[in-house]
Amino acid sequence: MRICRNSATWLLLQVSVVCGQLPYHALKLLDSNYARTQDAFQKLCRAGYLEVVKAPGHKSFFVTDAGFEAYCRVRQKDRRKSNAFIWDKPTSTHNIDKAVRLSRINEAWLFFVLLCGRKYQTSLQIKREQERKAVRSTDSLKYSRFVGCIYDEQRFIHPVYHFGNGNQRLNPNGEKNAAVRLAGAMMSFEKVILVETPEAIADILDYSLWALRKDPRTLRHMRLNFHITWEDNAILLPLDGLAQAFVQHFDRKDWRAGIAQMEEQEKVKAGVTISLLQGRWMELLEYLAREPDPEAPVRIIAWDFQQPVMWVLRERGMLPAKARVGVCQSRAE
């Protein structure tokens, strides 16, 4: 198979080498023309350059030996003209449990580092660092949704979790190991939760609203899925291109100052205004938990990447009938 530079095929092959095993969902992050990326994926699979791992609820892919050789041939040609760097062949697995975790770790790295240009450390790097320092070296981060950490301008740390589109229960042991890694650092402890679809965010919000309406004493002995609280007002992010601008800037002081100004301007226009521009949802959940008058006017301001979630919430009847949603363009910032 001939690999042409600057083609969707070459881009996908490079990403497969640089990032390692990825979930099929990652194809949506690579090119605005999703159909073209899917076509490139099929070509690479037919040529034996990519291999697919499938199971109910999971599909991932990784570069084969033949695919890595094809990558090296193209890079060697570039290397004669310039000192082009050639990556090592990444690790991959057919084991489903390991494939789910590895592919999600790699997708988060692809999103934050390659697409958003953020300072980021994966949970695998953190685990190796723990073992070198003999900090809880007998523990493991496997089976946790914890996939890494973002660092902001002040070196605060934001733990990142990848829920995919399925189970939303955090693993207690994985949480403890993540906490050990973060204990000595300056940190905001604002969790960032990645999901694949707007429906998955709506599921978290629906469950969180149910928990918020319950007496805390009744929840004390229950095994709960992840739910948002004021103490842990996590940022929920869909893995798509629209969220990139937000991720690049959300913890910058000037960005937050600009958001505060936008919120003040919007509050002048309506009696009840709820802002989702910080990426957090607890303000809306608390308003809904009070079971407001469905006829009461309320204005919700959200980013463009949050709009699909609002559509799902409206379809489920979770929003008041008179609620209006104002949408801000994240890319314009």
Side-chain angles (χ1 to χ4, degrees), residues 61-88:
F61 62 91
F62 60 85
V63 66
T64 62
D65 291 341
F68 184 70
E69 289 174 8
Y71 160 82
C72 291
R73 285 196 298 270
V74 177
R75 295 301 283 173
Q76 286 290 357
K77 293 177 183 178
D78 293 338
R79 208 170 183 182
R80 296 191 196 104
K81 302 175 184 177
S82 63
N83 293 323
F85 179 77
I86 298 179
W87 293 76
D88 294 330

Side-chain angles (χ1 to χ4, degrees), residues 21 24 41-42 45 51-62 93-97 99-100:
Q21 192 160 349
Y24 187 75
F41 177 80
Q42 294 298 331
C45 288
E51 187 169 338
V52 177
V53 177
K54 279 186 179 181
H58 173 77
K59 182 178 180 181
S60 64
F61 62 91
F62 60 85
T93 179
H94 287 90
N95 179 285
I96 295 303
D97 289 335
V100 170

